[in-house]
Amino acid sequence: MYKEREERGQAEPGANSERPKNMSRFQVKKVAVLGAGVMGAQIAAHLVNVRVPVVLFDLPAKEGAKNGIVAKAIEGLKKLKPSPLGVPEDAVLIGQANYEEHLEQLRDCDLIIEAIAERMDWKLDLYKKIAPFIAPHAIVASNTSGLSITRLSEALPEAIKPRFCGIHFFNPPRYMYLVELINTPTTGAHVLDDLETFVTSGLGKGVVRAKDTPNFIANRVGIAGMLATMKEVERFALTYDVVDDLTGKKLGRASSGTFRTADVVGLDTMAHVVKTLQDNLNTQTDPFYESFGTPEVLKTLLEMGNLGQKAKAGFYKKAGRDVLRFDLASREYVPGGAKADEVYGRMLKKPAGERLKLLRESEGPQGQFLWSILRNSFHYAAVQLASIADTARDVDFAMRWGFGMKQGPFELWQEAGWLQVANWIREDIASGKALSTAPLPDWVFKGPVAEAGGVHTTEGSWNPTAKKFEPRRVLPVYLRQHFPETVPGSKAPGFETAGKTLHESGAIRLWTLDADQDGPSGGQVVIASIKTKMHAISPEVAEGLQLAVEIAEKDYQGVVIWSGDDPFSAGADLQAMLPAFMAVGVSAIDEAEHFLQQTMLRLRYAGVPVVSAIRGMALGGGCEIAVHSARRVVAMESYIGLVEVGVGLVPGAGGLTYIARRAAESQAASVHKDILPFLTEGFTAAAMAKVGTSALESRKLGYLLDSDTIVPNKDELLFVALNEAKAMFTAGYRPPHKRQFAVAGRNGKATIQGQLVNMRDGGFISQHDFHIAGLIADVVCGGDVDTGTLVTEEYLMTLERQAFCSLLTHPKTQERIMGMLSTGKPVRN
Ligand code: NAD
């Protein structure tokens, strides 16, 4: 397949992956971001997260230090939630500059991202000012959400025009996967390829190329959808709380639904995007134009200054613990929280075809409303596809990645039955139920799409302009994604069945990529994919991991633990342990824990490198697997920690042993004689159940080492981990020596205990927290021994197990476990 993909790259017309031969590879050594507002400052933060040097510009401050505006924006980044920075202290890495003193600094920037206020004249003035300082190879890209990229480019000097394009990030840029790239008639052929390569691999984003039309793809379809939803809300006289319940998770969309999402985005921002549609489109260019009027409720809320979350009032307002909803008729906030009829929740769980049929035929307003908004979204996407995007896949990806939808409009339509749904839409248009009388394009009913039963096929996705199915763009960077996100009809092999299976149970699959899929030396590393819910670690998973090592030691170069999607693992499977505990008592658990500990040691001392490929949560037992691996390859968005205290337990599968060992190793490598300072950080992390909020923070907590690799793009994780394992093997990998190491002993424990007493007496921790933290201190200090006593990992693991089992019979721990199992939330007792 690897070969095949390469060949496809050459054969495909229009794939501009080749740079002119006389040009060297485009490398982004430094980026300038112009504009330290909401977007610019956060984009700069994300560049720091992925280790790209960045300088952030804004206007010179009128008073005080000239960099005042930028400095204030960078300070603001530290307080923003969700945090734009992996670790807040990295804010100092953002270079500060202003247009009066520092334009010279632009000369060594390879990429300049403009993100100043949304005014054509201001942007053009700025381009004029910076033009003389732009390096001859640098790409200049605007983050505008609504202005025409082509019109912006027209005022540029000829020399810069070929290197100018649009780069549309979504807010918040660290977390939103989508970046839309837009070219102009004068953008050089390789510029978007170069930028796509950097944005994908370097920034970890999903790129969609959009045509230069108002609001591009995601905001065009998304905001038209929101306006259409508001119209249907009025028509069916529904309240915002019920609509949000219907249009959130149940519908496979962002859990905040329609109106709470608007509140979070900000109603002024939304009104701005709506205005862009109103100002730049008309009934000719968009047959849905009539429905783009600003809804009465939005006008009213804007007049009242109720701009959403930032103004503490919008469609919703909090009053103590209650959430009130806005009532347009009375202009008052009234009690909210109403839910949708349960019958629709059940309908929405049915297979797509049946679901849409039930909704369309339902009598109640809520069902009719749901069918109407889905029909509107299909209708709009089909009518506008040719003008806004190259292919239907681009629209689906844009809606998934930019609006948090599980499926884009075309995917759902196709899954539900292409022609059936098309006929329903046609009937609704004829009977005046649709928002526009514009007919569906001919390609919907006739020709290749109708014959294939949809827009996504194994050949590719429908491009209505080229009138053919087009595969995904082939760029070398995509060879780094073994299992990229796909659209259903493409029938790309999923990781669940790909490659060669070596062993499979309900809990785990051990397999290898096909030799040719993984490059010339492929198929040589065992991949262990956990299959349990939340990738929880059951005894069967542990057995599978041991088997993976055994198989790899015989015939392969290493093991990569990679389970396809989030999370890496939410921890040990408490539920699976419960029956044994009930039937046999604590001794059954002692045995199970012992087996888990043995598994961790097996991973650590395997004769081949074991690499954990982590994305999302690696909690409790997941974290313990990670720290016992020879190396970790980690997606930027990884949240790692030992959280057992939350369920009234201590880490019992080697987590505390790791903390003690790491402290001893750090002390041995330093000039300090005292081990305690090295232990404090690990102890505190475990005792307070701290979880890193990014890979960078997880590293600060000690769960990742400097030698581990952080990967910006989640879809490159497997590729990098396999290469890491192969490189380690090739370099002559041998497991670490089994060494004894020094512990802090009873004196160390006494010191920690003293601090814990203060915390308990000060009311910071409960008596049970105090008890658990005391047990953790006991284990990480090595129990009742002298300071400096040498111990083995097995010895510490025995202490760990004893602490774990003693807690299991404690009523307060049992209360925590039962609480977690029944509500999923930690019990504080
Ligand atoms: P913002 O108002 O938060 O920040 C704009 C920045 O531009 C400010 O720091 C201001 O000092 C600077 N500025 C104002 N006038 C200027 C001038 N004449 N010359 C140079 N700098 C000037 O805006 P924002 O929300 O960060 O938006 C910036 C750009 O990003 C806009 O083009 C916007 O359309 C686009 N965008 C915004 C979002 C969003 O959700 N906010 C999302 C995607 C794209």
Side-chain angles (χ1 to χ4, degrees):
M1 187 162 167
Y2 185 88
K3 224 168 136 238
E4 186 189 309
R5 285 156 84 187
E6 268 189 336
E7 278 163 6
R8 243 189 319 135
Q10 316 248 309
E12 207 167 301
N16 290 316
S17 54
E18 290 284 310
R19 292 174 56 75
K21 288 277 180 282
N22 58 353
M23 253 187 193
S24 50
R25 184 161 60 100
F26 177 69
Q27 291 178 55
V28 180
K29 292 198 218 77
K30 189 172 174 191
V31 176
V33 177
L34 313 181
V38 174
M39 290 303 285
Q42 290 194 82
I43 293 169
H46 187 62
L47 285 158
V48 164
N49 291 340
V50 294
R51 282 201 315 277
V52 176
V54 55
V55 53
L56 181 60
F57 279 81
D58 210 307
L59 297 166
K62 295 211 173 82
E63 283 167 26
K66 286 257 160 68
N67 277 344
I69 296 179
V70 171
K72 195 162 161 234
I74 294 175
E75 237 356 82
L77 287 172
K78 296 188 204 163
K79 290 172 221 129
L80 208 60
K81 292 273 173 258
S83 176
L85 286 156
V87 277
E89 56 270 32
D90 276 357
V92 296
L93 297 174
I94 302 175
Q96 305 185 3
N98 65 74
Y99 308 118
E100 194 177 300
E101 298 172 305
H102 306 120
L103 286 177
E104 283 292 336
Q105 290 192 28
L106 291 175
R107 290 194 198 278
D108 59 351
C109 292
D110 312 288
L111 172 62
I112 298 171
I113 298 173
E114 173 272 306
I116 71 159
E118 188 78 329
R119 279 268 302 261
M120 178 74 78
D121 51 343
W122 293 353
K123 291 192 195 265
L124 294 181
D125 275 352
L126 183 64
Y127 296 168
K128 235 180 261 155
K129 201 185 291 176
I130 62 168
F133 302 90
I134 298 172
H137 70 281
I139 294 179
V140 183
S142 175
N143 181 48
T144 177
S145 355
L147 301 175
S148 157
I149 304 293
T150 306
R151 282 191 51 212
L152 283 171
S153 80
E154 279 161 6
L156 289 170
E158 289 305 318
I160 299 173
K161 268 185 197 169
R163 290 176 279 124
F164 182 79
C165 62
I167 184 168
H168 188 218
F169 286 89
F170 284 71
N171 190 18
R174 170 181 159 192
Y175 299 92
M176 295 303 286
Y177 191 57
L178 179 64
V179 172
E180 292 173 323
L181 297 184
I182 307 102
N183 64 6
T184 74
T186 50
T187 307
H190 62 87
V191 167
L192 253 52
D193 287 349
D194 285 345
L195 202 52
E196 179 161 347
T197 300
F198 170 68
V199 170
T200 303
S201 194
L203 302 186
K205 299 290 161 198
V207 168
V208 163
R209 292 197 188 177
K211 294 192 180 173
D212 189 13
T213 54
N215 288 345
F216 313 121
I217 301 176
N219 276 345
R220 173 77 169 273
V221 176
I223 296 296
M226 240 177 192
L227 291 172
T229 302
M230 288 190 181
K231 280 224 160 294
E232 303 292 357
V233 168
E234 272 173 40
R235 169 135 59 121
F236 292 102
L238 299 177
T239 55
Y240 309 129
D241 42 7
V242 169
V243 171
D244 277 356
D245 189 33
L246 285 169
T247 58
K249 265 219 162 87
K250 286 180 188 158
L251 197 61
R253 297 188 176 179
S255 56
S256 44
T258 304
F259 295 102
R260 196 154 68 78
T261 302
D263 273 356
V264 173
V265 169
L267 302 189
D268 49 344
T269 305
M270 193 178 148
H272 182 84
V273 187
V274 172
K275 192 164 180 313
T276 306
L277 290 185
Q278 293 167 348
D279 292 351
N280 295 289
L281 295 168
N282 54 49
T283 43
Q284 255 81 54
T285 49
D286 195 319
F288 294 76
Y289 189 77
E290 297 288 331
S291 59
F292 291 163
T294 309
E296 205 47 46
V297 59
L298 191 58
K299 266 192 224 154
T300 311
L301 287 169
L302 289 169
E303 264 166 37
M304 293 168 76
N306 294 357
L307 305 180
Q309 206 171 59
K310 61 186 159 195
K312 300 207 162 26
F315 286 102
Y316 298 102
K317 184 175 165 178
K318 267 197 172 165
R321 292 174 138 233
D322 298 325
V323 179
L324 307 179
R325 71 170 165 81
F326 186 64
D327 176 63
L328 181 59
S330 62
R331 297 182 127 220
E332 302 278 345
Y333 286 87
V334 299
K339 296 273 176 231
D341 287 348
E342 276 182 28
V343 62
Y344 299 109
R346 285 199 295 276
M347 277 185 200
L348 288 172
K349 286 195 182 130
K350 302 272 184 203
E354 193 184 340
R355 184 189 328 152
L356 262 49
K357 184 169 192 295
L358 285 169
L359 291 174
R360 185 163 192 268
E361 288 169 1
S362 68
E363 305 264 307
Q366 295 181 17
Q368 281 294 307
F369 162 78
L370 280 174
W371 160 251
S372 303
I373 62 168
L374 292 173
R375 177 206 59 223
N376 295 340
S377 75
F378 303 149
H379 188 188
Y380 192 75
V383 168
Q384 290 302 358
L385 174 60
S387 72
I388 61 174
D390 290 332
T391 71
R393 181 182 46 239
D394 289 338
V395 173
D396 282 341
F397 279 163
M399 298 320 290
R400 268 201 228 163
W401 300 343
F403 273 76
M405 292 184 175
K406 234 172 156 177
Q407 279 181 312
F410 290 114
E411 294 175 88
L412 175 56
W413 176 352
Q414 178 163 346
E415 195 192 328
W418 185 261
L419 279 178
Q420 173 64 81
V421 174
N423 284 325
W424 285 337
I425 302 171
R426 183 156 60 183
E427 281 167 30
D428 280 13
I429 297 171
S431 62
K433 286 185 187 155
L435 281 185
S436 160
T437 52
L440 288 172
D442 281 348
W443 55 259
V444 170
F445 295 100
K446 278 186 272 178
V449 172
E451 282 156 28
V455 287
H456 302 305
T457 68
T458 46
E459 262 174 78
S461 295
W462 184 246
N463 177 333
T465 312
K467 298 195 174 33
K468 61 175 187 162
F469 297 108
E470 253 172 32
R472 243 185 130 170
R473 220 172 1 272
V474 179
L475 293 175
V477 71
Y478 291 121
L479 293 176
R480 298 169 63 86
Q481 302 187 359
H482 286 303
F483 298 98
E485 288 195 38
T486 55
V487 277
S490 67
K491 301 218 169 59
F495 71 91
E496 298 87 348
T497 52
K500 182 170 104 187
T501 303
L502 307 173
H503 161 86
E504 183 155 17
S505 70
I508 198 165
R509 175 171 180 245
L510 308 181
W511 58 291
T512 60
L513 282 179
D514 291 331
D516 58 347
Q517 189 178 7
D518 189 16
S521 61
Q524 295 178 21
V525 174
V526 177
I527 303 166
S529 297
I530 303 172
K531 291 166 60 181
T532 50
K533 190 170 167 207
M534 300 293 275
H535 301 146
I537 298 149
S538 61
E540 214 181 339
V541 170
E543 256 170 53
L545 291 174
Q546 293 209 26
L547 183 63
V549 172
E550 195 184 314
I551 295 175
E553 281 177 340
K554 276 198 207 112
D555 293 320
Y556 294 88
Q557 298 186 350
V559 176
V560 163
I561 305 173
W562 176 85
S563 305
D565 43 19
D566 286 5
F568 176 70
S569 169
D573 189 349
L574 284 176
Q575 200 109 36
M577 286 189 179
L578 222 50
F581 178 57
M582 297 295 191
V584 185
V586 104
S587 67
I589 302 300
D590 187 75
E591 217 173 281
E593 281 300 308
H594 189 232
F595 184 66
L596 270 183
Q597 293 177 338
Q598 292 303 315
T599 306
M600 300 303 166
L601 293 175
R602 187 78 179 96
L603 298 177
R604 177 161 157 75
Y605 294 104
V608 289
V610 174
V611 177
S612 280
I614 302 170
R615 61 183 270 201
M617 292 180 289
L619 304 180
C623 174
E624 288 169 315
I625 289 182
V627 298
H628 285 90
S629 301
R631 187 146 304 166
R632 287 136 296 274
V633 170
V634 190
M636 178 61 201
E637 294 308 324
S638 292
Y639 316 111
I640 309 178
L642 293 169
V643 295
E644 285 82 351
V645 172
V647 285
L649 292 167
V650 297
L656 298 182
T657 302
Y658 165 76
I659 287 170
R661 174 170 60 78
R662 201 188 65 222
E665 286 169 358
S666 306
Q667 185 227 349
S670 88
V671 293
H672 294 282
K673 292 273 176 290
D674 189 5
I675 196 170
L676 207 56
F678 297 99
L679 195 57
T680 313
E681 183 192 55
F683 165 78
T684 314
M688 313 218 1
K690 283 192 189 173
V691 177
T693 54
S694 64
L696 298 170
E697 202 177 78
S698 303
R699 187 168 63 189
K700 239 181 75 187
L701 293 178
Y703 299 128
L704 300 177
L705 305 180
D706 287 345
S707 50
D708 293 333
T709 305
I710 298 176
V711 182
N713 195 316
K714 63 185 173 54
D715 290 334
E716 293 187 3
L717 208 53
L718 180 61
F719 172 86
V720 178
L722 289 171
N723 278 299
E724 196 82 57
K726 281 188 267 186
M728 288 166 86
F729 177 86
T730 309
Y733 181 80
R734 298 197 67 86
H737 277 297
K738 262 187 180 264
R739 280 177 198 274
Q740 295 195 328
F741 49 89
V743 288
R746 65 180 78 84
N747 288 347
K749 186 179 142 188
T751 310
I752 297 178
Q753 200 82 28
Q755 289 159 2
L756 291 174
V757 169
N758 290 339
M759 286 174 76
R760 181 197 55 193
D761 295 351
F764 297 107
I765 55 174
S766 72
Q767 176 62 31
H768 194 48
D769 287 330
F770 173 77
H771 175 61
I772 302 169
L775 290 173
I776 294 179
D778 184 65
V779 179
V780 297
C781 292
D784 190 19
V785 295
D786 291 340
T787 305
T789 301
L790 294 178
V791 301
T792 61
E793 284 169 297
E794 282 83 357
Y795 165 80
L796 285 181
M797 284 185 169
T798 307
L799 293 186
E800 235 179 89
R801 225 163 54 235
Q802 284 164 355
F804 187 91
C805 290
S806 79
L807 282 167
L808 262 187
T809 51
H810 197 295
K812 286 219 178 302
T813 287
Q814 292 180 350
E815 204 182 320
R816 287 192 190 185
I817 294 177
M818 295 321 282
M820 180 63 88
L821 288 178
S822 56
T823 66
K825 298 211 172 80
V827 175
R828 307 248 165 259
N829 61 3

